[in-house]
Amino acid sequence: MFKKSGGIAAAIGVAFFSAGFTAATSVPANAQDAAVCGTDRTIDIAEMTWPSAAALAHIHAVILEHGFGCSVEIVAGDTVPTSASMLSRGTPALAPELWTSAIQDAWERGIEEGVVVQLADAITDGTVEGWFIPRYVQEANPELTTVEAVVGRPDLFPDPENGDKGRLYSCPPGWVCELSTSALYEAFDMEAKGWNLFSPGSGGALDASIARAFTREEPILFYYWGPTSVLGKFDAVQLDLGPVKPDVYACNTDTDCNEPAGITAYPSSPAVIGAAAWLPEEAPVVAEYMAKAGLTNAQISALLVYGDENKADAAETARNFLKTEEALWTSWVPAEVAEKVRAALN
């Protein structure tokens, strides 16, 4: 079985950007070649600290070890230390869900210098961030498609502690999204329009408030992001905030910016399948497989629902995905590889 260890180089203060890369792979000469790893090196895969990236690490570890016969090791990771180590040491070999907005310059430079590559988008339709309401609320009030329209109806989203006002559920204290949501609350002049801004004490508290509202089919206006199990479990509608205005968003999230808060949609953060440059060179069949392995927001959110509802760890969540989404992952690999993975799961 693949090994799990905690070794990742210390974080360096760098930032990077996702640049497109198409692995220079050739079609294997025969089916047997397509099932051979191609490198004797251990392919270490970064298991990030958030659920979707952790589950993806285990999914790919199973397929690479049992399907392609690679030597695989799962290592602990996070955005900055993982990227820093890839850029300086060529390890880990693979980061299945690397959010590149926080390390833009260094990552772009690493691609230009041939140190790292982007094999594909990890989240093919982009990450999601914004304000949501339940679909059942929108179906009862079809005009509620924009934040502006919802702001005009605080009566539909009463604050449980003050029914005369509406409530917007924001982010926990200290999160960047607390700054962005507070700025939008100010830009829409929501306090004057009869709204309270509610800041939950933690991510778990925010999730509990959302779950309670959906279970009771009560109205709720809340900030959230995806892919997540919450958006996989509950039928929420994202409200239109208009176009993304990068300068406005940058100011809204900068505590030193003195400009008035402005209205802007949340930008989608790039999330890529990143790899050390040696991987496609030595193991082109692995790179070819990874280039097909992107998932949509909805697919990742659905994957996470199992882990959330069953209190399953990343390895169990990955195993459930491989057993229940066979039609999906078998499209990434040759038939011989798929058969070996099936055998390992049984």
Side-chain angles (χ1 to χ4, degrees):
M1 292 296 291
F2 52 83
K3 300 170 286 181
K4 181 174 179 179
S5 75
I8 285 286
I12 352 180
V14 293
F16 74 82
F17 172 71
S18 141
F21 170 83
T22 302
T25 59
S26 58
V27 177
N30 55 58
Q32 186 174 0
D33 291 341
V36 174
C37 184
T39 181
D40 292 331
R41 286 206 231 184
T42 295
I43 298 176
D44 42 353
I45 305 175
E47 179 182 359
M48 304 299 201
T49 55
W50 57 95
S52 56
L56 289 172
H58 283 268
I59 288 168
H60 297 311
V62 171
I63 292 174
L64 289 179
E65 181 185 4
H66 296 289
F68 288 97
C70 299
S71 172
V72 178
E73 182 177 5
I74 290 181
V75 296
D78 212 338
T79 302
V80 173
T82 293
S83 62
S85 184
M86 290 177 84
L87 289 163
S88 63
R89 299 171 52 225
T91 180
L94 189 61
E97 188 188 314
L98 195 60
W99 290 47
T100 57
S101 57
I103 43 175
Q104 176 177 344
D105 294 337
W107 185 255
E108 186 176 42
R109 189 164 57 251
I111 289 174
E112 291 174 353
E113 294 174 355
V115 178
V116 293
V117 295
Q118 176 182 319
L119 298 175
D121 289 326
I123 305 171
T124 57
D125 52 353
T127 57
V128 171
E129 193 175 3
W131 293 8
F132 295 82
I133 61 174
R135 188 173 300 279
Y136 52 78
V137 172
Q138 191 185 71
E139 288 176 347
N141 304 272
E143 72 281 6
L144 300 183
T145 59
T146 66
V147 168
E148 188 175 14
V150 169
V151 167
R153 295 299 307 273
D155 57 300
L156 293 178
F157 302 87
D159 188 326
E161 297 174 5
N162 183 354
D164 293 334
K165 290 183 174 288
R167 174 183 279 191
L168 165 62
Y169 287 80
S170 183
C171 272
W175 293 18
V176 173
C177 51
E178 182 193 25
L179 296 175
S180 58
T181 302
S182 298
L184 287 172
Y185 176 84
E186 180 182 335
F188 280 108
D189 199 19
M190 291 179 72
E191 183 176 7
K193 295 174 182 176
W195 288 85
N196 290 328
L197 181 63
F198 178 78
S199 180
S202 66
L206 176 60
D207 291 355
S209 297
I210 295 167
R212 182 168 56 250
F214 274 87
T215 301
R216 299 175 179 176
E217 293 197 359
E218 295 174 347
I220 183 172
L221 171 63
F222 62 100
Y223 164 89
Y224 218 76
W225 69 96
T228 50
S229 61
V230 164
L231 295 185
K233 191 184 306 183
F234 302 117
D235 191 4
V237 178
Q238 185 173 2
L239 299 169
D240 185 2
L241 270 163
V244 176
K245 301 172 184 175
D247 292 344
V248 173
Y249 181 80
C251 185
N252 282 357
T253 54
D254 182 357
T255 55
D256 294 326
C257 182
N258 295 320
E259 294 295 320
I263 297 173
T264 175
Y266 294 82
S268 179
S269 298
V272 307
I273 300 173
W278 66 263
L279 184 65
E281 293 171 1
E282 295 186 16
V285 294
V286 171
E288 186 176 11
Y289 148 61
M290 293 302 305
K292 300 174 184 176
L295 294 169
T296 65
N297 253 282
Q299 288 168 334
I300 295 177
S301 293
L303 153 71
L304 296 175
V305 169
Y306 174 84
D308 182 67
E309 292 184 341
N310 295 277
K311 308 301 179 190
D313 63 15
E316 293 173 288
T317 301
R319 188 175 181 85
N320 178 73
F321 172 85
L322 291 167
K323 286 193 165 187
T324 60
E325 298 294 339
E326 189 173 299
L328 178 57
W329 66 263
T330 55
S331 68
W332 303 338
V333 299
E336 183 181 351
V337 170
E339 191 55 42
K340 290 179 179 179
V341 175
R342 287 192 201 97
L345 292 171
N346 294 329

